[in-house]
Each structure stands twice: as C-alpha cells, then as structure tokens.
Amino acid sequence: MLVIKDLHASINDTPILKGVNLTVNAGEMHAIMGPNGSGKSTLAYVLAGKPGYKVTSGQVLLDGLDLMPMVPENRARAGLFLSFQQPIEIPGVRLDQFMRAGYNAIHKARGEEEMDVLKFDRLLTRKTKMVGMDATLTRRYVNEGFSGGERKRNEVLQMAVLEPKLAILDEPDSGLDIDAVRIVAEGINQLRTPQNAVLLITHYQRILNYVQPDFVHVFMDGRIVKSGGKELALQVEAEGYEQFEAAATGS
C-alpha cells in the first residue's frame, strides 16, 4: 500500500530526512518510535504534503500513486489521513459540518454521490458510538474548549468517518493520562481492517500496551535504524534510545 524509497527532505535547507525506506502493506500497523528531533513528525508532514517541507530526493507511492506531485487535498482524496500531534481549534466551524464537508469532498472525487445532512448525521451517530465519543461534542466548533483527550478522540472520530486507506497518527498519546491513552487506543483498534493500514508515531511504549503493531521501527537522525516486532518497543522502554546511536551515526 505505502512504499517509501530513499526519501530525503529538508526544512529551510536543513536536511531532516536522510534516506527513509519503508513498506506498509494493507492490514498492517507500523509503529515508529524515536526521540525528540529525530524527524518522526517531519516524515508525517512530508507524507501529508505540508507546505515548507521540501523533498530533495526519493519516492513515495500510495497504492501505486506518486504522492509527491500531489497537493495535500489530493493526497487526502487518494486515501491518506493525518492525525495531528496538537489538533488546533477552528472557531466558527462546527465539527459535524467540518466532517461532512471532508466526507463529501472525498466521495465526490471518487465519482460518488454526496451525502445529505440527515444521512450524514446518522452515519456520524454510529461513528461517535464506535469510538466512544460524546455526540454533543460534534455540535460544537472544532476542538473549541475540548480537553486533550477529547481532541485526540476527535481525530480518531474523523478517521472513522473518512475511512482512509492509510492513517498516519502523529503521537496520538501525547499529553494524555493513562485512561485517555487507553480510550484513544481502543478507538484505533476498532478502526483497523484488512483493507487499511496505520502508521503510528510515538515517543513511548505505553500506547503499544493497548494497540498491537505488526512492526516497530526506531527512527533516529532522519531515518529508520532498527526494525522488529513488539519486543523492540519493550527494549526501547527498558534501555532508551542511546543504544541505537551508533547505528544512527553509521559508526
């Protein structure tokens, strides 16, 4: 589904990604772990097409489509979803209306009919129950007055509604207490299918107590330096990232 080949990228002419290689197949969840400043979020933003992030070489394919020439909205229409580390407020825009606009834009791009308000409300009601979110929050402005946990659960709700092929979750456990981490993780688990894939970016092993990645990758100095199974996350938790510094520097 997702194929990244020797991806290099920079910000303000400063190299950040230094040769990322990764293949994610349908039905898989890949966890990317790494310290602050290693380039994990940059990878997420480059895949989503965030302005200011310059790809200097390499290739990214999603179901065979070259993502790099696409603007962000076309990447979303192709099936890519990014959950932000720090979701922002959008005053004056109701959450249900925001999600209906996104849902219809994607379906229109596929040549499918748009969904009217009543049908979408029924869909949204089902999805809020699925992810355990208070339905009254969908009538409020996007993230306005939401707690940290509610903002992260809102991101999971958007993923549930849009049903992307590839969901990139940038630190969905950031700033959450352990109960909120568990609730968000349960929502992520419910949305996994054999047809979609998840790329989960995190600092810590704790969210991996509740979701079961197929692969864990250690990301340092702009590239993947070690890959393995769930046991690799436990190794990171026990021994930290210093053990991988030699591999990161090539020494």
Side-chain angles (χ1 to χ4, degrees), residues 60-126:
V60 179
L61 303 175
L62 179 63
D63 270 353
L65 294 175
D66 186 358
L67 289 182
M68 291 302 94
M70 294 184 184
V71 295
E73 54 266 35
N74 286 340
R75 299 184 193 201
R77 292 177 182 127
L80 188 147
F81 173 86
L82 172 63
S83 168
F84 291 98
Q85 183 180 149
Q86 296 179 326
I88 63 170
E89 294 183 6
I90 309 179
V93 179
R94 273 181 36 165
L95 178 56
D96 55 353
Q97 296 170 350
F98 173 76
M99 284 193 286
R100 179 170 173 261
Y103 179 92
N104 280 335
I106 289 173
H107 282 260
K108 184 177 180 180
R110 297 173 183 168
E112 300 169 1
E113 290 187 6
E114 297 184 10
M115 187 174 286
D116 64 34
V117 173
L118 292 178
K119 288 184 179 179
F120 184 78
D121 280 349
R122 289 195 290 270
L123 170 68
L124 188 57
T125 297
R126 293 197 304 272

Side-chain angles (χ1 to χ4, degrees), residues 68-188:
M68 291 302 94
M70 294 184 184
V71 295
E73 54 266 35
N74 286 340
R75 299 184 193 201
R77 292 177 182 127
L80 188 147
F81 173 86
L82 172 63
S83 168
F84 291 98
Q85 183 180 149
Q86 296 179 326
I88 63 170
E89 294 183 6
I90 309 179
V93 179
R94 273 181 36 165
L95 178 56
D96 55 353
Q97 296 170 350
F98 173 76
M99 284 193 286
R100 179 170 173 261
Y103 179 92
N104 280 335
I106 289 173
H107 282 260
K108 184 177 180 180
R110 297 173 183 168
E112 300 169 1
E113 290 187 6
E114 297 184 10
M115 187 174 286
D116 64 34
V117 173
L118 292 178
K119 288 184 179 179
F120 184 78
D121 280 349
R122 289 195 290 270
L123 170 68
L124 188 57
T125 297
R126 293 197 304 272
K127 298 296 187 179
T128 52
K129 290 179 179 177
M130 178 185 295
V131 302
M133 183 170 172
D134 182 352
T136 63
L137 295 177
T138 66
R139 303 296 191 265
R140 290 163 56 177
Y141 297 149
V142 178
N143 290 324
E144 193 168 70
F146 285 24
S147 67
E150 287 169 343
R151 291 185 182 216
K152 292 302 177 74
R153 207 177 309 179
N154 173 25
E155 296 285 290
V156 176
L157 174 62
Q158 291 178 47
M159 183 171 69
V161 169
L162 298 178
E163 297 182 336
K165 294 178 181 178
L166 174 69
I168 304 169
L169 309 180
D170 188 12
E171 298 193 21
D173 52 344
S174 175
L176 302 185
D177 62 34
I178 194 64
D179 290 331
V181 169
R182 177 180 51 79
I183 291 169
V184 168
E186 288 172 354
I188 294 169

Side-chain angles (χ1 to χ4, degrees), residues 7-9 14-20 33-40 42 218-225 241 244-251:
L7 182 63
H8 291 71
T14 300
I16 305 295
L17 301 184
K18 304 175 183 179
V20 179
M33 302 181 69
N36 284 328
S38 60
K40 305 185 306 298
T42 295
V218 175
F219 205 87
M220 295 186 69
D221 194 30
R223 61 187 183 275
I224 293 170
V225 298
Y241 290 106
F244 304 106
E245 287 182 353
T249 59
S251 60

